[in-house]
Amino acid sequence: MEHNPLLNGISVKEHDETRQGEAFGSNPATQLNVNAPANGKQFYVESYGCALNFNDSEIVATLLNKEGYGITTNYKEADLILINTCSIRENAEQKVRERLRQFKAVKKTRPETLIGVLGCMAERLKEKLLEQEQMVDLIVGPDAYRSLTELIQEAASGHKAVNVLLSREETYADISPTRLSSNGINGFVTIARGCNNMCSFCVVPYTRGRERSRDAYSIVAEATMLFNEGFRDITLLGQNVDSYHWQNEAEGSLSINFAQLLAMVAAISPDLRVRFSTSHPKDITDEVLYTMLAHENICKQIHLPAQSGNSEVLERMNRTYDREWYLQKFNRIKELIPECAVSTDIITGFCGETDEQHADTISMINYCKFDFSYHFKYSERSGTPAQKKFADDVPEEVKQQRLDEIIALCRFYAHEKNKAAVGQTFKVLIEGPSHKKVDGQLCGRNTQNQMIVFQGGQAQKGTYVHVKVTATTTGTLIGEIV
Ligand code: SAH
Ligand code: SF4
Ligand code: F3S
């Protein structure tokens, strides 16, 4: 993972993305409400999967804090250990099971500790998880977090507690997430939950339910609050942001689409950068691209997962677009916004994928030269249309070979992009000291989301500077303030 993967779309690698409460409190304005009626209990939460899931843990933190729970970064001393899980691929679930084994060991010395499984695995496996994972006390699906405290009480009285009801309305619009592990600059705001697409390989429609768009005013209010707390780079999150559509019943006919929402958030301040993820190739519109052009502070970066470069594979995936459609969308982005970075997700070895079909994905990468990309071996998920209709027939070694080839090619193009940046000057938002912690060295991103490291002088975190890139490594650009 070369730079903050959370900003590069929601298709994050579960392993790299495991975050705990460590950096909690890095921005005092986001700390838990110390005036809360403390009940003397502490919870620990660990999150896996996409940025939406991490954001959900922050909603859970707010809900528990209201009930008087404090947070701890040491699970061994927690009264309640929560693991917010991902089901996207088999290995994501394996990781959670391994971690659960460690958590359960705590019960040997502190048997009263409660262990709860939240998120997509809870939703996918439901009560079955209680049979598979003895000593788990609570199973709570992504739409049931408001019932957490009741479930905790039930579990504390010795009954296993489960709520995995999905909702058509729940957006947690009124809950301001408690920013766990934040640098105080990059903030994430969920704008929609669930997904109405039915990509044949994907569990998300089953684990997250129907798509719902959140009240636009609550989104703007949350983004404004973040801005007032010092955040300067906000990513609007949804499985398919382009299908955002909110209708205000109170105001009759008022309806707000994604382009309009983007403009509303961008209007908060010219000093607030706005990003978004994920864009679906079938839904991204010219209106969104024109809105990006109209606002300097909407970052010139689009995460546009292709999944495959072959039309037959795309049809089996039920992505509802073909290769030509994808390339046309790609060309349109570059035509209107030539400097726009485009990143993607690719799945290798999907059911029935032939060498020729894989070669089409290679040629698509050679055409698009993505700025960044995530790649995954197809992992069959039970209950999905692909599992029911197609054989998972590409041998593991072939999936791996294709993955390796794609990784090498994408790395090459990402490095080419970095080399092309040398000599150019970018407006950079300072995020803090560079990760290598060299004296006086700062880091920040340009609008395309490239990370740049430079000597900072008097420059302050959260402010903008112009940086000329002088050199590059494979992952990072090196520059100087001009
Ligand atoms: N809503 C986003 C994707 C969210 S899931 C979109 O439609 O683009 C993130 C990524 O995980 C997907 O883009 C896909 O590349 C990958 N993925 C999803 N299901 C998978 C599976 N069963 N096996 C392997 N990769 C998968
Ligand atoms: Fe899954 Fe497709 Fe929805 Fe993305 S758009 S979350 S891949 S079903
Ligand atoms: Fe996200 Fe994983 Fe669920 S990618 S929506 S946490 S299955």
Side-chain angles (χ1 to χ4, degrees):
M1 211 68 7
E2 269 132 21
H3 44 236
N4 185 347
L6 282 176
L7 291 173
N8 252 312
I10 48 181
S11 48
V12 293
K13 282 190 184 160
E14 309 76 35
H15 179 71
D16 298 308
E17 278 319 295
T18 309
R19 287 192 304 184
Q20 298 146 36
E22 261 96 4
F24 176 73
S26 60
N27 179 344
T30 64
Q31 284 188 9
L32 286 176
N33 177 6
V34 286
N35 298 321
N39 67 7
K41 297 243 160 89
Q42 291 190 303
F43 75 98
Y44 171 89
V45 63
E46 192 168 293
S47 311
Y48 291 78
C50 61
L52 286 153
N53 213 39
F54 281 84
N55 207 223
D56 277 3
S57 295
E58 302 184 325
I59 288 168
V60 165
T62 301
L63 287 165
L64 289 178
N65 177 236
K66 278 196 190 133
E67 296 298 319
Y69 281 84
I71 194 165
T72 171
T73 55
N74 177 2
Y75 72 86
K76 292 182 179 155
E77 63 178 37
D79 302 285
L80 171 67
I81 301 177
L82 298 174
I83 182 158
N84 194 0
T85 60
C86 174
S87 286
I88 202 83
R89 286 167 290 275
E90 185 56 32
N91 59 5
E93 293 200 353
Q94 282 317 330
K95 239 161 264 159
V96 166
R97 290 187 196 276
E98 277 159 34
R99 195 64 176 142
L100 270 175
R101 270 194 283 282
Q102 289 166 324
F103 291 158
K104 286 180 201 166
V106 172
K107 288 211 180 195
K108 283 192 196 124
T109 47
R110 302 181 71 219
E112 69 285 4
T113 309
L114 295 178
I115 299 178
V117 178
L118 315 181
C120 290
M121 243 176 118
E123 192 62 53
R124 191 176 87 77
L125 296 163
K126 305 184 171 60
E127 283 86 356
K128 237 188 288 171
L129 200 55
L130 290 176
E131 289 157 33
Q132 294 168 357
E133 298 288 342
Q134 311 277 315
M135 289 197 277
V136 163
D137 305 286
L138 297 133
I139 309 271
V140 194
D143 287 345
Y145 297 143
R146 286 188 204 264
S147 67
L148 249 175
T149 44
E150 287 155 42
L151 296 169
I152 293 167
Q153 276 167 14
E154 200 178 321
S157 67
H159 303 105
K160 301 279 180 188
V162 180
N163 186 349
V164 288
L165 284 175
L166 286 173
S167 157
R168 283 179 176 252
E169 284 94 37
E170 182 63 272
T171 59
Y172 302 109
D174 56 315
I175 297 170
S176 173
T178 298
R179 310 288 156 184
L180 303 168
S181 173
S182 162
N183 63 0
I185 299 295
N186 303 109
F188 299 88
V189 178
T190 298
I191 64 164
R193 300 180 69 84
C195 184
N196 281 358
N197 295 317
M198 274 286 169
C199 303
S200 63
F201 51 79
C202 185
V203 288
V204 172
Y206 309 95
T207 62
R208 294 269 161 175
R210 305 290 291 170
E211 184 183 88
R212 294 131 272 169
S213 295
R214 178 179 169 190
D215 177 330
Y217 298 129
S218 77
I219 295 168
V220 174
E222 190 177 319
T224 306
M225 194 180 78
L226 285 171
F227 180 75
N228 291 337
E229 288 173 2
F231 286 80
R232 289 292 176 268
D233 187 322
I234 287 181
T235 304
L236 305 180
L237 299 173
Q239 290 295 358
N240 180 0
V241 289
D242 301 287
S243 67
Y244 176 87
H245 183 240
W246 179 69
Q247 232 151 350
N248 188 358
E249 280 147 28
E251 291 179 49
S253 59
L254 180 79
S255 99
I256 291 171
N257 69 16
F258 180 58
Q260 292 162 329
L261 177 74
L262 254 186
M264 285 163 72
V265 178
I268 292 171
S269 166
D271 286 336
L272 177 69
R273 277 186 167 174
V274 187
R275 300 181 195 270
F276 52 91
S277 188
T278 299
S279 299
H280 195 295
K282 84 172 157 65
D283 291 317
I284 189 165
T285 59
D286 272 8
E287 193 189 353
V288 167
L289 302 180
Y290 283 119
T291 306
M292 290 173 76
L293 276 173
H295 297 265
E296 188 268 340
N297 59 332
I298 301 179
C299 289
K300 306 303 180 268
Q301 176 210 356
I302 297 177
H303 188 60
L304 194 71
Q307 315 298 358
S308 167
N310 175 271
S311 296
E312 285 161 41
V313 173
L314 286 168
E315 190 172 346
R316 285 202 293 281
M317 288 178 165
N318 195 31
R319 287 290 286 182
T320 69
Y321 55 85
D322 59 11
R323 177 189 172 91
E324 285 63 43
W325 176 279
Y326 185 88
L327 294 180
Q328 206 187 324
K329 287 286 175 187
F330 178 87
N331 289 339
R332 187 68 177 151
I333 294 169
K334 293 289 178 177
E335 181 189 336
L336 291 180
I337 320 174
E339 76 278 22
C340 190
V342 180
S343 53
T344 203
D345 291 350
I346 307 265
I347 296 178
T348 67
F350 184 65
C351 310
E353 187 188 64
T354 63
D355 284 341
E356 292 72 32
Q357 290 168 341
H358 165 67
D360 280 348
T361 301
I362 297 288
S363 80
M364 177 192 69
I365 297 170
N366 281 323
Y367 182 86
C368 299
K369 305 179 171 64
F370 296 108
D371 292 70
F372 193 85
S373 46
Y374 297 95
H375 333 94
F376 314 99
K377 279 185 280 184
Y378 172 58
S379 166
E380 187 178 74
R381 313 309 291 132
S382 76
T384 56
Q387 184 263 326
K388 291 181 188 157
K389 281 199 292 195
F390 310 120
D392 179 13
D393 54 0
V394 177
E396 177 61 25
E397 328 71 88
V398 177
K399 282 183 185 171
Q400 186 65 48
Q401 271 164 15
R402 291 179 186 168
L403 183 73
D404 292 344
E405 190 185 349
I406 285 174
I407 290 174
L409 192 60
C410 288
R411 243 188 223 148
F412 170 79
Y413 284 120
H415 190 38
E416 287 297 297
K417 285 278 153 74
N418 280 352
K419 285 199 283 194
V422 176
Q424 291 190 52
T425 299
F426 297 102
K427 185 177 171 187
V428 170
L429 171 64
I430 302 176
E431 287 180 14
S434 74
H435 301 304
K436 293 212 172 112
K437 304 261 183 296
V438 178
D439 227 14
Q441 205 178 60
L442 300 177
C443 69
R445 280 166 230 269
N446 60 12
T447 185
Q448 289 90 353
N449 207 32
Q450 286 171 300
M451 182 62 95
I452 308 179
V453 168
F454 50 93
Q455 279 301 317
Q458 300 302 308
Q460 292 290 314
K461 176 176 166 173
T463 62
Y464 293 92
V465 284
H466 282 87
V467 176
K468 184 174 181 180
V469 175
T470 52
T472 173
T473 64
T474 32
T476 315
L477 300 174
I478 299 149
E480 56 195 29
I481 294 182
V482 291

